[in-house]
Amino acid sequence: MYRYKLRRSMSETPEYRVRVRRGRITIPKAIRETLGIRDGDELMIKVKDSEIIIRLAPNEDINEFDRKIKEHLETIKKICTC
């Protein structure tokens, strides 16, 4: 089981200390609930300077994106051929 220790930073934002197990971390329940993160959601992760930044991934499905692009291209073709 993971242990979370809540402490306050200078900006009064809660910080959680989590332990890495087998290369994985668990996002504390309070953060998951606040951001609406559910099982199966995708997150983006990157390193900037010496910090790990995690954010919610864009929710749009790639197939839906492709469909929208094709619709816009068809509309442009109709406009240009008039």
Side-chain angles (χ1 to χ4, degrees):
M1 194 65 156
Y2 293 94
R3 291 185 198 163
Y4 303 105
K5 294 183 181 177
L6 180 65
R7 64 185 175 106
R8 300 280 179 179
S9 69
M10 294 187 67
S11 64
E12 295 301 315
T13 302
E15 289 184 346
Y16 295 84
R17 178 175 288 204
V18 297
R19 191 175 307 269
V20 178
R21 302 274 171 118
R22 289 182 249 151
R24 300 176 183 202
I25 63 168
T26 299
I27 299 171
K29 183 178 180 180
I31 294 174
R32 293 192 318 265
E33 288 176 347
T34 299
L35 297 176
I37 298 171
R38 298 180 313 252
D39 283 346
D41 285 351
E42 292 185 352
L43 303 173
M44 305 295 290
I45 185 169
K46 71 177 185 175
V47 175
K48 185 175 181 180
D49 299 323
S50 62
E51 296 182 343
I52 298 171
I53 300 171
I54 302 172
R55 62 182 176 85
L56 295 171
N59 199 13
E60 191 161 7
D61 178 54
I62 190 70
N63 294 325
E64 179 67 15
F65 179 76
D66 284 344
R67 186 187 66 73
K68 287 180 181 178
I69 292 295
K70 288 176 184 175
E71 283 179 9
H72 288 295
L73 287 174
E74 289 301 317
T75 303
I76 291 169
K77 286 178 185 177
K78 289 177 185 175
I79 293 170
C80 292
T81 59
C82 293

